[in-house]
Structures are given as structure tokens and as C-alpha cells.
Amino acid sequence: MAKHNELGKMGEDAAALHLQRLGYAILHRNWREERYEVDIIAENEEFIVFVEVKTRTSDEWGDPHESVGNARIKRLVQAADLYLRETDADKPVRFDIIAAVWQAKGGFLIEHFDDAFLPPVNV
């Protein structure tokens, strides 16, 4: 596995652990269907949460969450729509971004942006 893929998996592991510590149930990791992929699908008492995880070795080039652009948001919303149709989930949906930045002393600094964006109207 390439080094950046290893770092990404470690960041997703840290993000999932963070969510579990907050009381979320992890429903899926790296959910894939058709041409869509979601890093983490989780659930709390109120929402089904679709989570995009961005992992970096530093924030030198900006905060990782800022790299989630309109195209990625659109695909994440489309993936959520497909997932909801397949599962008949009966909770409101929320879209979160988790930024995981590797720290030189070891471990990740986690920044969780809940309700990070609203779905665009013209998806």
C-alpha cells in the first residue's frame, strides 16, 4: 500500500474512533456502490451522518477540510441519496467533514465539522 494510502486509512481509523467516543454508531466504512464512495456512514440519536475524512501530514497548505470542493460535495450528496433509497433509512441526514492532521509527536489532531454543508439544490 502506498504511503499516502496508509496515512489516509490511519486518518479514517482515527476519525471513526473519534465518532465512537462521541457516541456515534459506525454503520459503514468506505461504503461503495456504483460509482460512489463514502468514507464513513455513522448514526447518532438524531441523524444519519455521511462523513468525508481528509487526512494530511500538516496544515501547511491550508486546513484539510477546505479541500472538499463543490464536485466532492455533489458526489457525496448523490451517494447519500443512493444509500438512503437502498436502506429506507428513517432519520434526517447530516454531512460532516473530519480533518485529521498527523502530529510529529504521533497521533492525529482531529477537527470535526458537523453539519459542514447543506446539499446543493441542483444535484
Side-chain angles (χ1 to χ4, degrees), residues 47-109:
F47 298 99
I48 294 183
V49 184
F50 294 84
V51 182
E52 176 72 9
V53 179
K54 288 301 186 187
T55 305
R56 301 286 187 270
T57 55
S58 78
D59 58 3
E60 180 180 346
W61 302 105
D63 292 325
H65 72 278
E66 293 174 346
S67 68
V68 180
N70 291 335
R72 182 63 188 129
I73 288 171
K74 183 177 179 179
R75 292 193 53 75
L76 192 57
V77 170
Q78 290 169 334
D81 181 60
L82 179 62
Y83 178 84
L84 295 169
R85 282 187 277 127
E86 286 183 353
T87 62
D88 292 325
D90 193 27
K91 284 188 177 179
V93 170
R94 194 177 78 201
F95 296 94
D96 291 6
I97 299 172
I98 294 181
V101 179
W102 181 252
Q103 302 296 290
K105 60 187 176 288
F108 284 93
L109 174 65

Side-chain angles (χ1 to χ4, degrees), residues 5-26:
N5 289 340
E6 289 176 25
L7 182 71
K9 183 181 178 330
M10 289 171 32
E12 287 179 7
D13 290 344
L17 183 59
H18 166 78
L19 290 168
Q20 288 172 321
R21 286 179 178 155
L22 292 175
Y24 291 73
I26 305 299

Side-chain angles (χ1 to χ4, degrees), residues 33-48:
E33 187 68 36
E34 296 179 13
R35 61 188 190 276
Y36 300 107
E37 188 263 335
V38 180
D39 294 330
I40 299 173
I41 301 173
E43 182 177 31
N44 65 16
E45 291 180 7
E46 297 178 68
F47 298 99
I48 294 183

